[in-house]
Amino acid sequence: ITGGGAYTYPVTGVSDVVTLASNGGDMKAAIEEAVRNHPVVILDGAKGDFLLSSKIELEGLADKTIIGVNGAYLVTQWHITKEMTDALNAAGVPGMSTSGGGGTMTNGKKIREQAEFNTRQILINLTGDQKESYRKAGALAMSSCRNCIIRNIRFSGPGSIDIGGSDLLTLSHCTNIWVDHCDFTDGMDGNFDIGQASDFITVSWCTFRYTARSYMHQNTNLVGSNDREPQGRLNITFANNIWGENCRARMPMGRDGKIHMLN
């Protein structure tokens, strides 16, 4: 199941392996329950995409494998629409500053950057969602997890947009994680970010890209959450990956750590 030798599918007669298929609705709770309670979770894409109402937050887990078969696809239910991009263009957001000139939004939150401030306020005006729940439109957010494998899964996000939202995959305070043969498309804030003292992470044979759905902020991979990461961590390997269509920046960007780039 994790690449060492042959296996047959479907897996039968093994109690610690669970297989999930899409029911056509929100699969967030089902996937979270499966990962928390089983060491090996197989996502079978034969019955359709795995829709997610918001990112699955996994904390403190160890010795887990999540593997996709039959084209398993994790897809966010929320996405950027033409109405949104038309409103952002009309306001001139692409020409606004990304380093200063923000303000206070109608929900009381203060934003430092002009482009993010206007983008977030316009989306609030269009959606009526003062809580900005759509900012959680991601796939997996792993915190303080160790010895985990994520393999052969396609991730599809809402499109990149500058609202300080979620990534398709985020690792925080995680160690010994292997992400292999996965495809990341249209993450909101980024496709896959690694930070907050994570260590010994391998990303191999993955692809990163954006489609026409993405608007701004096609910044695909970040290593290091801020400029105050603890020294001696963030030992990261990127091996045999492709940064493809419409990736603009962060392929990857490293704030700290020892980053091994192969091919």
Side-chain angles (χ1 to χ4, degrees), residues 46-59:
K47 294 185 178 180
D49 298 341
F50 293 85
L51 302 179
L52 300 175
S53 57
S54 62
K55 63 185 177 184
I56 301 168
E57 300 184 61
L58 302 171
E59 183 176 2

Side-chain angles (χ1 to χ4, degrees), residues 10 29 33 37 45-46 48 52 65 77 84 91 112 116 119-120 124 134 147 151 156 182 219 234 249 253:
E33 188 276 336
N37 293 292
L52 300 175
T65 292
Q77 289 182 316
M84 295 172 186
R112 291 180 297 177
E116 181 180 345
T119 300
R120 290 176 65 172
I124 289 174
Y134 40 79
N147 197 32
R151 198 156 192 250
S156 179
C182 292
N219 301 342
L234 292 173
M253 169 184 165

Side-chain angles (χ1 to χ4, degrees), residues 43-50 68-74 152-154:
L43 302 179
D44 186 348
K47 294 185 178 180
D49 298 341
F50 293 85
V69 297
N70 294 324
Y73 220 144
L74 296 184
N152 204 38
I153 297 173
R154 295 184 296 167

Side-chain angles (χ1 to χ4, degrees), residues 13-40:
V14 183
S15 60
D16 58 357
V17 177
V18 64
T19 301
L20 292 182
S22 175
N23 61 13
D26 182 14
M27 294 295 296
K28 175 184 176 179
I31 296 174
E32 181 177 355
E33 188 276 336
V35 174
R36 290 189 182 279
N37 293 292
H38 299 273
V40 178

Side-chain angles (χ1 to χ4, degrees), residues 1 5-12 42 69:
I1 286 177
Y7 70 95
T8 59
Y9 182 80
V11 176
T12 59
I42 298 174
V69 297

Side-chain angles (χ1 to χ4, degrees), residues 129-150:
D129 184 357
Q130 294 287 338
K131 295 182 179 180
E132 302 180 275
S133 57
Y134 40 79
R135 293 178 67 218
K136 293 186 177 182
L140 297 175
M142 302 177 69
S143 176
S144 300
C145 296
R146 62 179 177 84
N147 197 32
C148 297
I149 297 169
I150 301 171

